[in-house]
Amino acid sequence: MSRRPVFLFPRERRTPRPGGLSSGFTLIELMVAMLLGLVVIAGVVSVFLANQRSYRTNQALGDVQDGSRIAFEMMARDIRDAGLTGCSNNGRVANVLNNGPTGGGTAWWANWNNAVVGFGGTQTDPAVVIGTAEKQRVSGTDSLMLLGGEGSGVSVNVNTEPAATFTINEASTDLQVGDVVIVCDPDHATLMQITSYAGGTITHAASGSPGNCTTDLNFPTVCSSSASYVFATNSQITRLGAADWYIGNNPVVGGRSLYRMDLVNVAGVPTPTAQEMVRDVTDMKITYHQSGNADFAVASAVTNWALVDAVQVNLTLESVDKRAGTDVKPLKRSFTATTTVRNRVK
């Protein structure tokens, strides 16, 4: 039998290293390479962590600044409109509300004397109690009460008295039964409640909740009066805006928020309702400028609230990210804004 040929391939020839050893990496070389790799990785990680901290800090600072802008914008709107009636009548304001001072009531929002009133950290604010429960005012923080007309309002076509009705020029409005409104002309303004509204006709009868003590809208108010003041054509009617700004407890975030106590019409009954406006506002300090004085003063030093023509608000906010600061704590910043009560500036 014939044998199949066997082919032999030459072996790969390696060039020996000096000393006769085969080529490769020594243990020391491997350790040096690993060390250099660890140094590079440590540098990359360090840069990554630094950039991450910088990003979190910048984001937290942006959140704090955005919160302050929102807070000051909303507060400034209420401050600017404080004392607004819609007409130039030199502060002559009647009030026929049953829960107003003339009617024997004590509701804070029904008292036009509260157009601008502030309360220091230890002073009692009749709009909100100091406590630790949700939406209650935080002890040691200031609060600010403001009243004034809000919205564009409507104009009067005919005021029929003693029928106690106003026919308005607008075909449709957002006014509702139970709304507290201000009706005014160049002579004076009157706070009253709408007891009926249909077909462009507003009625202000001596009824409702809290209701009106009389249908006579004369100035000054006499609840027992049977007379009738007739507002002229094109008199203005605007909804009463009542607000109380304060720092309240917010268990949802485990901290504090800036709240606004607003007057909400609930089934025809004006009801003060607290609404969260900006979260993580931890403190508020307010000072006031009284006409004729050189400096701003705290609430306890104001001698005549009717002369306050500017309000300076200082807010302290902290970041939503509670580890954004350099000390692994919330980032905190304080901001100050000054707003003029435009209805009191001549």
Side-chain angles (χ1 to χ4, degrees):
M1 293 179 61
S2 61
R3 293 186 178 182
R4 300 176 67 180
V6 177
F7 296 95
L8 298 178
F9 295 93
R11 290 186 177 180
E12 181 182 357
R13 310 182 87 187
R14 295 185 180 181
T15 303
R17 296 181 59 187
L21 299 176
S22 300
S23 63
F25 294 104
T26 65
L27 179 61
I28 294 176
E29 290 174 332
L30 289 174
M31 293 178 66
V32 170
M34 291 175 62
L35 178 61
L36 292 175
L38 289 174
V39 170
V40 172
I41 293 174
V44 172
V45 171
S46 177
V47 171
F48 172 77
L49 292 177
N51 288 338
Q52 186 183 52
R53 285 195 297 269
S54 177
Y55 171 78
R56 291 176 63 180
T57 300
N58 289 334
Q59 185 180 46
L61 182 59
D63 291 341
V64 167
Q65 291 175 336
D66 287 344
S68 68
R69 283 193 290 267
I70 293 171
F72 284 130
E73 177 62 28
M74 292 187 296
M75 290 189 70
R77 181 179 58 188
D78 284 343
I79 294 172
R80 286 193 295 265
D81 290 345
L84 173 68
T85 63
C87 304
S88 178
N89 42 44
N90 299 319
R92 289 165 51 89
V93 181
N95 188 343
V96 300
L97 297 174
N98 277 322
N99 59 350
T102 306
T106 58
W108 63 272
W109 54 265
N111 186 349
W112 192 251
N113 293 326
N114 293 333
V116 180
V117 179
F119 304 91
T122 59
Q123 293 179 308
T124 300
D125 183 342
V128 59
V129 299
I130 295 177
T132 58
E134 182 179 3
K135 298 184 180 181
Q136 290 185 339
R137 178 182 162 204
V138 177
S139 178
T141 60
D142 294 355
S143 63
L144 176 62
M145 185 182 294
L146 301 163
L147 303 182
E150 67 177 13
S152 58
V154 299
S155 60
V156 174
N157 183 8
V158 178
N159 176 204
T160 305
E161 302 296 344
T165 61
F166 289 92
T167 302
I168 61 176
N169 292 314
E170 287 74 9
S172 62
T173 72
D174 60 352
L175 294 175
Q176 303 177 34
V177 174
D179 281 350
V180 176
V181 297
I182 306 169
V183 55
C184 71
D185 64 12
D187 182 74
H188 72 277
T190 301
L191 269 69
M192 67 177 194
Q193 186 179 28
I194 297 176
T195 57
S196 176
Y197 177 44
T201 299
I202 294 173
T203 304
H204 58 97
S207 60
S209 178
N212 304 306
C213 66
T214 178
T215 58
D216 180 17
L217 305 183
N218 262 302
F219 177 86
T221 300
V222 178
C223 283
S224 60
S225 173
S226 58
S228 297
Y229 179 83
V230 178
F231 281 89
T233 299
N234 294 326
S235 296
Q236 299 296 306
I237 299 177
T238 183
R239 184 185 287 108
L240 173 69
D244 191 281
W245 291 89
Y246 68 97
I247 303 299
N249 300 296
N250 188 351
V252 175
V253 297
R256 304 174 179 180
S257 294
L258 177 65
Y259 284 90
R260 181 180 187 267
M261 186 71 73
D262 192 14
L263 193 62
V264 179
N265 187 335
V266 180
V269 180
T271 306
T273 305
Q275 299 180 357
E276 180 192 19
M277 307 307 289
V278 181
R279 289 187 174 180
D280 295 306
V281 182
T282 59
D283 195 14
M284 179 166 64
K285 300 298 181 185
I286 309 175
T287 54
Y288 306 87
H289 182 266
Q290 188 172 317
S291 180
N293 293 350
D295 300 320
F296 284 79
V298 296
S300 58
V302 176
T303 57
N304 187 346
W305 288 104
L307 297 180
V308 171
D309 56 13
V311 179
Q312 189 172 81
V313 181
N314 178 272
L315 295 176
T316 300
L317 295 89
E318 68 177 28
S319 60
V320 176
D321 186 345
K322 304 307 178 186
R323 299 170 61 87
T326 55
D327 52 357
V328 198
K329 292 182 179 180
L331 185 71
K332 291 189 177 182
R333 292 291 186 272
S334 292
F335 303 89
T336 301
T338 303
T339 306
T340 300
V341 184
R342 62 185 179 189
N343 298 289
R344 296 182 177 180
V345 177
K346 298 179 180 180

